[in-house]
Amino acid sequence: MRKGKLWSFALIMLLILSTALAACSGGDDNEGSGDKDKDAADKGGSENKTLVFGRGGDSTSLDPSRVTEGETFKVTVNLFETLLNFGEQDTTVQPGLAKEYDTSEDGLTYTFQLQEGVKFHDGTDFNAEAVVKNFERWANGDSDTFPYYNSMFGGFKDDEEHVIESVKADGESTVIITLKRPQAPFLKNLAMSMFAISSPEAFEKGDDEYERNPVGTGPFKFVEWKPNETITIEKNEEYWQEGLPKLERIIFQAIPDNSARLNALLSGEIDLADGINPADGVKIEDNDALQLFERPSMNVGYLGLTVTRAPFDKKEVRQAMNYAIDKQSIVDSFFEGRAEVAKNPMPSSISGYNEDVEAYAYDPEKAKELLKEAGLEDGFEMELWAMPVPRPYMPDGTKVAEAIQSNLADVGIKAKIVSYEWATYLDKASKGEADAFMLGWTGDNGDADNFLYVLLDEDNIGSNNYTYFKNDETHKLFLEAQTEVDEDKRIELYKQAQEILHEEAPWVPLAHSIPLLGGAKELTGFVPHPTGSDLLSNVEFK
Amino acid sequence: MTFLVFMLIRAIPGNPAQVILGQQATKEAVEALTIKLGLDQPWYTQYFSYLGGILKGDLGESMRTRLPVADEIWPYLAATLELALFAMIIAVVVGVNAGIISAWFQNSWFDYSAMVLALVGVSMPIFWLGLMGQWAFAIELQWLPTTGRENVRDPVSAITNLYIIDTLIQGRFDQLWVVIKHLILPGLALATIPMAIIARMTRSSMLEVMRSDYIRTARAKGQKMFWVVYKHALKNAIIPVLTVIGLQIGLLLGGAILTETIFAWPGIGRYIYDAINFRDYPVIQSGILIVAFIFVMINLIVDLLYGLIDPRIKYD
């Protein structure tokens, strides 16, 4: 009996609760707008000093030297500084923590004059000794701990291929770096986010500890990290550059879905959002409360043709593929026109880009002719691998693949669209299992070497050269360019290489996309950087 | 169970070392990391060292973040538990009541519309529902926030990581309200399917019971209809419903990935999903193990509840 009563009581409570809940949603109106007011007051006018930056993913680490993944650098570029900086919207080399730098005639000795009076966030001094300790830390590591150091400087301390001979302090504020052999992109490499200078006192406590307690000299200091949710950084009051940063606080919030992120921007919960779909660009432009930002392109989206697989071992077939695909219409329909049609494997913003290469026109007849030459007048069947995930250089892999499929059908090539989950896709493609695959690349340091050598040289077969393309002439040119210190000569070498790549056609270059960001109207001073990591020290609300 | 998960995730192609280091990595780096992670060892060595770890309460170390899984998993789990519990309360309260009322007034307009809604609810894609919810309630009406667990400009300081409890502990009632508002949209999106299933189950179960003799007797004795329905009938009708509820809670935990993605909810679904993308074996293994464990516990609780409701059901 008592138990029975208990149950009826519980049921009645449930009913009451449900009514209360229903009533609640009615009362929401007031409370909701009240909160909105508070939000508005928080944001309103000159009062607002907090920026919420919505992005697609969380960081893996806050020690930039240990990771290769872009979401991390978006945060660390604001916490740390590098000896040299990139230009505001390009990858030219500018002074950074080193106010002056000098290259010896033979390209082997670099002398850096450091900024004086700069302090790390933990109060210790930034000086030549600190720089040396940072380089020692990296050089004593292994390719697991410091993967980028390995790939940019050819190995570690005892390795044969290691480019850096020594890093020495000369007094408080002079650092001398000596190389074993000239390395053309050396200064650009130093400007990359991963070679940011950390406080030796902080990282000496242990690498794993340091990943979650970063200490740099940057305009912002680390505050808190809620995994998969937010990373909060705040103004460094002692920052050495007068008047900077302008914001008090920046919160990086991870919102994985692009549409949901746009919704959060529209509702004013976030002030800045990256990864805006090309199709949503207009929606932002038409909204009075928002503004659209275009990030200068430093990427390429392409269709790779695995040259070891028939019939793509024939040059004519590869050229035919280039003639058969209507790139302009792909850019118009799937990038909403917000991309440059590609003709070279790297974008025009990179020095060494060959303007004179004449793009393959959209010419199905010419394609058919070439196929006939190759003895394939009846066409052939192939697998066309479509990217399963949107990437900055490819907003919708499947739809672009469908367009390509129909282009190819017009010249008699039957393409079957195949897709795998992303990691599997990369794994299989790198083993050369695809006939033709869609992929892309975003540059690291804005150097031609970082596109051409990395993606199309025989040394990188099995890692980033997914087409297995191999050519003695380009190989020679790339190696020569790596040690050529004279910029004009280098440019010439890369231009020649692009001619050959165009003729050999291991790729169908598709597009250099322009990544979009959306922001609140009142936001000023935001300048999106081509590398994808934006320094936010100049940003403020009007 | 551990063996199955272990073998299954290793059957997916893709080298974790390669994925962790990214497209940009060199071959040597990948090889070095493969060895460091012990992935060059034969699978049985890997399996038994993992199993040995679990027995000692060690779930392994995330390959990606290099933190022990046991240390980092709780905030994710807490976020999902809070959301799933909230969703389940909505689903049970609304679903059971809608089912009861539908059965009570069988063939009325309420019955018809509730069952049509339930049908729609079962077949509605969460993705679409979530985005529409954001558009309607966050952008147009501006009642509710679109994403996240809290107002990031005024964050909750996490103690237990169950934010409702955390705000109560700290006496921050303004934040409590904010946290609840963040729960409503994802909670509703997550609750839709179980709510519909529970409503249909309750209705059919109630209809059966209502036809039985003792209900007729109770009515004949002149008892109020409300009392008959909510006390006499429900008690007997609730047992199959309870089974469904138990199963649905389990599904909620597993099916939270989509909701968590749309609403940027930092929960275990996304944690495991990201781990799968990164081939982070220890995280996938342990994540699935923990979710499976909770699933089993819930079903155990449901079984025990049977006995409480109907004393004839006994476990010896």
Side-chain angles (χ1 to χ4, degrees):
Chain A
M1 192 63 194
R2 274 190 60 209
K3 210 180 264 171
K5 259 190 190 148
L6 204 73
W7 263 102
S8 10
F9 177 73
L11 284 170
I12 290 167
M13 282 310 288
L14 274 184
L15 256 188
I16 293 172
L17 198 74
S18 62
T19 336
L21 263 180
C24 234
S25 57
D28 238 11
D29 202 353
N30 283 333
E31 296 283 352
S33 54
D35 194 59
K36 187 77 194 167
D37 287 347
K38 203 182 128 219
D39 260 9
D42 188 25
K43 296 182 62 163
S46 56
E47 285 301 297
N48 187 25
K49 293 276 191 184
T50 300
L51 175 83
V52 184
F53 190 162
R55 56 186 185 142
D58 197 11
S59 304
T60 23
S61 162
L62 288 175
D63 177 354
S65 58
R66 295 190 66 172
V67 288
T68 53
E69 155 268 345
E71 291 301 339
T72 289
F73 305 130
K74 279 183 196 162
V75 181
T76 62
V77 74
N78 291 293
L79 297 173
F80 293 95
E81 288 172 299
T82 37
L83 285 181
L84 301 171
N85 290 336
F86 288 130
E88 199 176 38
Q89 267 201 310
D90 55 37
T91 52
T92 54
V93 174
Q94 309 287 338
L97 281 176
K99 56 184 176 188
E100 283 163 38
Y101 53 94
D102 220 33
T103 315
S104 68
E105 201 65 27
D106 57 3
L108 289 176
T109 313
Y110 290 84
T111 312
F112 298 92
Q113 293 299 329
L114 306 184
Q115 289 286 352
E116 282 157 50
V118 177
K119 281 191 186 303
F120 288 109
H121 301 157
D122 59 4
T124 54
D125 288 327
F126 163 80
N127 52 27
E129 196 52 41
V131 175
V132 172
K133 281 188 177 162
N134 272 273
F135 275 90
E136 277 172 2
R137 174 184 183 224
W138 300 324
N140 288 326
D142 54 50
S143 52
D144 162 33
T145 354
F146 304 118
Y148 254 116
Y149 186 85
N150 181 46
S151 55
M152 301 326 266
F153 299 119
F156 296 94
K157 207 165 97 194
D158 298 323
D159 295 343
E160 188 71 24
E161 293 292 296
H162 189 207
V163 165
I164 298 177
E165 171 80 43
S166 68
V167 181
K168 290 205 174 89
D170 179 16
E172 259 301 280
S173 53
T174 308
V175 173
I176 300 165
I177 302 182
T178 320
L179 303 187
K180 289 181 189 158
R181 56 177 190 280
Q183 185 190 39
F186 181 70
L187 291 175
K188 270 187 187 151
N189 289 350
L190 288 186
M192 292 167 72
S193 294
M194 23 283 174
F195 305 116
I197 305 299
S198 292
S199 157
E201 191 142 312
F203 66 66
E204 277 163 6
K205 287 178 195 153
D207 286 342
D208 290 339
E209 169 75 18
Y210 187 61
E211 278 193 288
R212 271 149 201 91
N213 300 288
V215 183
T217 58
F220 293 91
K221 294 194 283 192
F222 172 70
V223 180
E224 192 192 16
W225 185 357
K226 288 185 172 179
N228 251 350
E229 202 175 354
T230 53
I231 292 178
T232 306
I233 60 178
E234 68 178 11
K235 182 177 190 167
N236 170 13
E237 299 288 351
E238 270 93 59
Y239 189 55
W240 58 279
Q241 290 195 44
E242 202 67 27
L244 294 179
K246 293 177 176 162
L247 290 165
E248 287 294 330
R249 195 172 265 265
I250 302 172
I251 300 159
F252 294 90
Q253 189 180 10
I255 304 177
D257 184 67
N258 282 2
S259 310
R261 202 175 324 115
L262 178 66
N263 279 346
L265 180 69
L266 289 169
S267 74
E269 284 160 64
I270 59 177
D271 309 305
L272 192 59
D274 69 4
I276 297 292
N277 292 328
D280 292 328
V282 182
K283 206 184 278 178
I284 292 179
E285 279 173 328
D286 290 349
N287 190 317
D288 290 338
L290 300 177
Q291 55 182 323
L292 189 72
F293 298 101
E294 293 188 338
R295 190 187 291 289
S297 180
M298 202 169 90
N299 61 43
V300 60
Y302 64 90
L303 179 73
L305 310 171
T306 311
V307 300
T308 46
R309 294 173 75 94
F312 298 110
D313 49 352
K314 293 199 182 94
K315 189 169 84 179
E316 293 79 17
V317 178
R318 301 197 297 263
Q319 289 176 338
M321 294 285 285
N322 270 284
Y323 280 116
I325 293 169
D326 185 359
K327 303 170 193 177
Q328 186 64 53
S329 94
I330 289 175
V331 165
D332 290 343
S333 347
F334 305 109
F335 294 77
E336 308 286 319
R338 291 185 204 276
E340 196 185 324
V341 173
K343 61 178 184 181
N344 284 318
M346 61 185 198
S348 56
S349 58
I350 307 272
S351 71
Y353 179 82
N354 193 336
E355 277 298 342
D356 302 329
V357 165
E358 200 183 323
Y360 288 101
Y362 171 55
D363 189 347
E365 288 313 312
K366 184 94 187 167
K368 280 186 200 161
E369 262 172 50
L370 282 164
L371 285 177
K372 204 168 175 184
E373 264 176 53
L376 290 164
E377 53 267 66
D378 299 329
F380 58 91
E381 286 180 18
M382 60 173 275
E383 278 188 358
L384 173 62
W385 288 28
M387 293 179 41
V389 285
R391 275 287 177 277
Y393 44 74
M394 189 66 65
D396 192 333
T398 321
K399 285 203 182 127
V400 174
E402 282 165 12
I404 293 175
Q405 184 185 39
S406 101
N407 280 162
L408 292 178
D410 291 342
V411 300
I413 302 172
K414 264 200 210 115
K416 188 178 143 219
I417 296 179
V418 177
S419 195
Y420 298 94
E421 172 272 337
W422 187 226
T424 309
Y425 185 94
L426 288 177
D427 187 51
K428 288 170 90 76
S430 76
K431 289 182 181 137
E433 291 177 24
D435 292 333
F437 56 90
M438 288 163 71
L439 209 61
W441 181 261
T442 301
D444 292 315
N445 61 355
D447 194 87
D449 185 67
N450 185 252
F451 276 86
L452 302 181
Y453 172 75
V454 170
L455 300 173
L456 286 158
D457 190 76
E458 60 183 71
D459 291 349
N460 288 307
I461 287 177
S463 70
N464 284 311
N465 179 355
Y466 292 74
T467 58
Y468 284 66
F469 177 73
K470 197 175 161 173
N471 183 289
D472 294 339
E473 279 174 86
T474 54
H475 182 62
K476 232 174 76 194
L477 290 169
F478 292 151
L479 293 189
E480 212 180 318
Q482 281 177 347
T483 51
E484 179 56 67
V485 190
D486 183 335
E487 189 64 18
D488 292 337
K489 282 189 195 153
R490 270 193 98 207
I491 287 175
E492 201 39 56
L493 295 172
Y494 284 123
K495 284 193 169 171
Q496 280 177 38
Q498 284 165 83
E499 292 284 354
I500 300 167
L501 292 171
H502 180 76
E503 173 68 21
E504 291 292 323
W507 287 7
V508 182
L510 296 173
H512 307 295
S513 77
I514 299 164
L516 299 179
L517 298 98
K521 198 82 185 177
E522 313 86 62
L523 215 58
T524 58
F526 176 67
V527 185
H529 198 269
T531 55
S533 325
D534 305 313
L535 181 62
L536 300 167
S537 54
N538 261 314
V539 175
E540 63 182 326
F541 291 91
K542 254 187 295 214
Chain B
M1 175 70 199
T2 55
F3 184 72
L4 196 70
V5 173
F6 185 89
M7 291 319 282
L8 272 178
I9 57 180
R10 272 164 183 75
I12 327 174
N15 177 358
Q18 174 73 57
V19 184
I20 291 164
L21 293 175
Q23 247 189 81
Q24 245 78 346
T26 61
K27 253 188 279 182
E28 298 79 45
V30 173
E31 272 161 32
L33 185 59
T34 307
I35 292 167
K36 194 177 172 201
L37 295 173
L39 294 168
D40 53 334
Q41 305 285 324
W43 66 267
Y44 48 84
T45 318
Q46 292 182 44
Y47 179 64
F48 285 111
S49 80
Y50 172 66
L51 213 57
I54 293 182
L55 294 178
K56 284 182 278 176
D58 173 11
L59 296 174
E61 194 177 85
S62 162
M63 293 176 175
R64 185 163 156 242
T65 63
R66 306 181 192 94
L67 284 178
V69 177
D71 289 357
E72 70 171 14
I73 205 166
W74 172 247
Y76 299 108
L77 191 61
T80 296
L81 283 180
E82 192 170 60
L83 177 61
L85 228 59
F86 188 84
M88 214 52 219
I89 291 173
I90 300 178
V92 170
V93 171
V94 179
V96 167
N97 283 303
I100 292 172
I101 299 172
S102 291
W104 185 353
F105 303 108
Q106 197 192 351
N107 300 330
S108 67
W109 65 267
F110 182 90
D111 183 21
Y112 289 132
S113 38
M115 287 307 113
V116 167
L117 271 180
L119 186 71
V120 174
V122 174
S123 30
M124 189 98 80
I126 290 188
F127 229 80
W128 186 80
L129 192 74
L131 288 173
M132 284 323 264
Q134 286 179 358
W135 172 76
F137 292 101
I139 297 174
E140 292 301 319
L141 296 170
Q142 308 208 331
W143 290 352
L144 298 169
T146 55
T147 45
R149 289 182 79 185
E150 58 183 342
N151 180 356
V152 293
R153 292 170 209 273
D154 179 18
V156 174
S157 26
I159 302 168
T160 63
N161 278 296
L162 293 161
Y163 281 3
I164 289 196
I165 295 177
D166 287 350
T167 51
L168 285 174
I169 294 175
Q170 294 162 54
R172 293 288 307 270
F173 294 103
D174 52 329
Q175 279 191 339
L176 174 67
W177 180 231
V178 171
V179 168
I180 292 176
K181 280 207 300 193
H182 277 88
L183 274 164
I184 293 175
L185 278 182
L188 277 175
L190 199 55
T192 311
I193 292 175
M195 187 157 60
I197 293 175
I198 291 170
R200 293 211 302 210
M201 192 67 211
T202 314
R203 178 178 180 269
S204 61
S205 176
M206 280 296 280
L207 280 177
E208 207 164 296
V209 174
M210 297 276 271
R211 285 193 207 102
S212 57
D213 291 341
Y214 79 98
I215 295 291
R216 223 174 292 142
T217 315
R219 292 214 59 193
K221 275 162 64 183
Q223 283 204 3
K224 285 238 170 61
M225 190 60 183
F226 181 84
W227 205 241
V228 173
V229 169
Y230 274 89
K231 192 186 164 200
H232 298 294
L234 185 59
K235 200 174 148 190
N236 281 304
I238 202 78
I239 290 201
V241 176
L242 210 57
T243 313
V244 171
I245 293 176
L247 287 172
Q248 290 300 320
I249 297 180
L251 290 180
L252 276 193
L253 286 173
I257 295 175
L258 278 183
T259 317
E260 286 174 2
T261 305
I262 292 289
F263 291 98
W265 198 266
I268 191 119
R270 245 173 78 208
Y271 180 58
I272 297 176
Y273 178 77
D274 286 349
I276 292 174
N277 280 333
F278 276 89
R279 301 287 187 272
D280 195 340
Y281 295 157
V283 171
I284 313 174
Q285 281 157 199
S286 310
I288 294 179
L289 200 67
I290 287 176
V291 172
F293 177 74
I294 296 176
F295 188 80
V296 171
M297 290 313 288
I298 288 169
N299 281 291
L300 182 70
I301 293 171
V302 168
D303 280 357
L304 293 176
L305 277 178
Y306 292 158
L308 203 69
I309 296 169
D310 186 346
R312 284 173 304 175
I313 304 175
K314 279 237 168 67
Y315 302 96
D316 293 317

